[in-house]
Amino acid sequence: MTGKFLAIEGIDGAGKTTVAGHIQRFLVDQGIEAVLTREPTRGPIGDVIRRSLGDLELHPYQRALLFAADRYGHLKDVIAPALEAGKWVVTDRYLYSSLAYQGAEGVDMAFLRFINGFAPDPDIVLYLDVLPDIGVSRLQKRDRFEDSAFLRTVRATFAEILPRHALHIDAAQPLKEVLAVATGHVKRSIEGGR
Ligand SMILES: Nc1ncnc2c1ncn2[C@@H]1O[C@H](COP(=O)(O)OP(=O)(O)OP(=O)(O)O)[C@@H](O)[C@H]1O
Ligand SMILES: [Mg+2]
């Protein structure tokens, strides 16, 4: 059986990291090899991006280019080799976060799509949808983007740019329900459908 490429997207505090870890463990429990990964990556470009979410001041277009550069390495070094080895790949954030966040920062959408033109659409996109006030209330740390007003724009941008096949999950539900819905989608995909 060949592996699938699954991306989890959503605003800050939607539950992406929690759901990503749960799905990877679920796959392994089913006897399926699965790699858990994330963006920004732990590599050098990911480090600069993380600094730019704090004190390092960059222009939104510079951040957009860095996210695309980080993603290029992520695809070449981590995602493609795992998929070629028949493994599943579960990524905590991917392309659609770039389009939504950098789009909300004012970067032109056609430019964002162009600089990310190398990045394939995943087999499965799980979008965890939650109101910004709820997402922010779940978080301890604060970074550049964790502002409810900004996240409202991000959420509206996600609604515009997500691919048609994205599976929307109501992430305001109790975590147990969110995990059950997410796992159900993955189970159906293992059994055949997309
Ligand atoms: N459906 C839920 N109901 C209540 N709490 C939740 C739910 N989902 C996640 N949480 C909790 O909210 C916090 C944030 O979750 P998580 O780190 O998974 O979000 P995230 O989307 O990865 O956030 P970030 O964008 O900051 O990386 C965690 O403490 C997690 O346990
Ligand atoms: Mg997270």
Side-chain angles (χ1 to χ4, degrees):
M1 202 181 83
T2 60
K4 288 193 177 174
F5 180 21
L6 185 158
I8 302 182
E9 301 280 21
I11 64 165
D12 296 68
K16 298 174 297 299
T17 302
T18 308
V19 171
H22 183 86
I23 289 176
Q24 193 255 353
R25 285 191 298 278
F26 170 78
L27 289 165
V28 170
D29 288 347
Q30 306 289 306
I32 294 169
E33 280 192 282
V35 173
L36 176 62
T37 184
R38 66 163 197 196
E39 292 189 3
T41 68
R42 287 171 183 80
I45 299 172
D47 288 342
V48 179
I49 293 170
R50 266 185 296 281
R51 285 176 49 211
S52 93
L53 304 181
D55 296 339
L56 176 67
E57 290 294 335
L58 292 179
H59 297 285
Y61 275 74
Q62 290 178 304
R63 202 162 17 243
L65 289 161
L66 286 171
F67 270 108
D70 188 46
R71 179 163 305 118
Y72 188 86
H74 192 207
L75 280 161
K76 293 289 172 195
D77 301 338
V78 178
I79 297 172
L83 292 172
E84 278 158 24
K87 298 174 188 171
W88 278 60
V89 174
V90 178
T91 185
D92 176 357
R93 289 198 188 276
Y94 182 63
L95 170 64
Y96 301 106
S97 282
S98 274
L99 303 185
Y101 281 74
Q102 274 59 62
E105 280 196 280
V107 179
D108 176 68
M109 192 53 65
F111 176 79
L112 285 169
R113 290 202 184 269
F114 179 74
I115 61 174
N116 285 283
F118 59 85
D121 184 24
D123 299 300
I124 305 169
V125 176
L126 297 184
Y127 175 62
L128 303 182
D129 189 31
V130 75
L131 287 169
D133 288 343
I134 298 177
V136 168
S137 75
R138 291 174 180 167
L139 299 172
Q140 310 292 325
K141 61 183 172 54
R142 288 284 178 273
D143 72 26
R144 182 177 297 277
F145 293 139
E146 282 160 12
D147 163 71
S148 289
F150 177 70
L151 290 174
R152 277 193 281 280
T153 310
V154 175
R155 183 166 177 258
T157 311
F158 265 124
E160 284 169 20
I161 56 81
L162 282 167
R164 282 184 177 281
H165 71 91
L167 298 160
H168 293 241
I169 298 176
D170 175 5
Q173 301 176 90
L175 183 55
K176 198 163 161 260
E177 314 289 326
V178 174
L179 295 177
V181 175
T183 309
H185 285 311
V186 172
K187 225 183 261 176
R188 275 189 290 284
S189 180
I190 296 169
E191 287 159 5
R194 196 171 145 133

